Amino acid sequence: MKITKVQLEHEIFANCYLLVDEETGEAAVADPGYYGDALKNAIKSQEKMNLKYILLTHGHFDHIYGVPGLREESGAKVVIHENDAGHLLDPEKSLAQGNMPEPQIPVNADITVKDGDILKLGNETIRVLHTPGHTKGSVCYILEKDRVILSGDTLFCMTAGRTDFWDGSEEEMIKSLKKLIALDGDYRVLPGHNRETTLESERKRNWYIRRMIK
């Protein structure tokens, strides 16, 4: 699986990733916070690519604002946890209201997922791990073959996601992080903000996790 981090137009938007199975051409975009030239050019640069999914780790505006435009142009299926599907329709839930100059365009989810669901992207199996805490419907997408975790705003390099929003919970975040660090072996971790890391590194060095397991 070829995974490209797409640097979107403004730092307010989350890390966006383009996933392409090079054998089949099936592809996905994870967390398109903005659909502008950066993402359009990244998609155009790929030959014989079939955009199958728009994978959303949760429903905050900085991860979803580009969904309507991308879906309209590509026909890709919008994937989000069932508990966050309403964020795609409600700017208060997505935190877009008051944070973005233009209104949020509502869009319906095509696929709502829950813990343990499996998505196929070319030859890769993507497992959904429900990791509430940042939002009720936060998930991590685990690429089983390539040993990669798209961790959204659950796990960051050296820290974890905020839990002080209206549907956040520190108690749930702690449970979610324990699920992550209990995974077998090491994984490359691609978070929603800041730089990438590895699961083994976070087990040892993440201040939030070290405080949590004392």
Side-chain angles (χ1 to χ4, degrees):
M1 183 71 65
K2 180 182 178 182
I3 302 176
T4 304
K5 180 181 175 181
V6 182
Q7 187 64 52
L8 300 180
E9 278 73 0
H10 195 283
E11 63 184 9
I12 192 174
F13 299 115
N15 292 339
C16 177
Y17 301 99
L18 175 61
L19 291 67
V20 182
D21 182 83
E22 294 179 289
E23 293 184 28
T24 65
E26 287 194 345
V29 171
D31 290 343
Y34 186 73
Y35 187 51
D37 288 342
L39 183 52
K40 290 177 182 179
N41 290 337
I43 292 171
K44 287 177 183 177
S45 70
Q46 304 295 320
E47 297 182 1
K48 299 178 181 179
M49 189 188 78
N50 171 30
L51 194 59
K52 185 176 182 180
Y53 296 127
I54 300 171
L55 302 174
L56 304 175
T57 58
H58 64 287
H60 283 162
F61 76 95
D62 54 326
H63 295 250
I64 70 167
Y65 220 66
V67 169
L70 178 57
R71 180 176 182 255
E72 183 177 358
E73 287 200 15
S74 68
K77 301 294 186 183
V78 179
V79 182
I80 194 168
H81 189 274
E82 55 191 2
N83 289 348
D84 271 20
H87 293 53
L88 297 171
L89 305 170
D90 189 336
E92 289 191 12
K93 289 182 177 180
S94 73
L95 308 182
Q97 193 158 296
N99 285 310
M100 294 298 291
E102 298 177 359
Q104 175 179 326
I105 299 173
V107 60
N108 288 306
D110 296 298
I111 301 171
T112 55
V113 293
K114 58 185 184 301
D115 190 60
D117 282 354
I118 298 294
L119 301 168
K120 291 290 290 183
L121 187 67
N123 295 315
E124 179 64 90
T125 297
I126 302 176
R127 178 161 60 93
V128 178
L129 186 70
H130 185 206
T131 53
H134 185 64
T135 67
K136 291 290 186 185
S138 288
V139 301
C140 294
Y141 294 104
I142 302 177
L143 283 64
E144 300 283 13
K145 181 180 177 182
D146 283 11
R147 305 289 290 182
V148 172
I149 300 173
L150 301 173
S151 63
D153 286 8
T154 298
L155 178 62
F156 298 134
C157 180
M158 303 292 287
T159 187
R162 292 175 59 174
T163 60
D164 58 338
F165 295 119
W166 68 272
D167 60 344
S169 165
E170 184 173 20
E171 182 180 357
E172 288 189 322
M173 178 64 81
I174 290 170
K175 291 178 181 178
S176 293
L177 291 171
K178 287 181 176 179
K179 286 169 67 174
L180 277 170
I181 64 175
L183 293 173
D184 185 38
D186 200 11
Y187 288 82
R188 180 184 176 195
V189 177
L190 304 180
H193 300 275
N194 211 326
R195 64 186 186 275
E196 74 171 78
T197 183
T198 66
L199 190 58
E200 186 59 27
S201 175
E202 298 312 304
R203 289 185 181 113
K204 296 175 180 177
R205 302 171 59 225
N206 188 300
W207 75 270
Y208 196 108
I209 290 173
R210 291 179 67 179
R211 182 194 68 174
M212 175 184 75
I213 62 178
K214 284 183 179 179

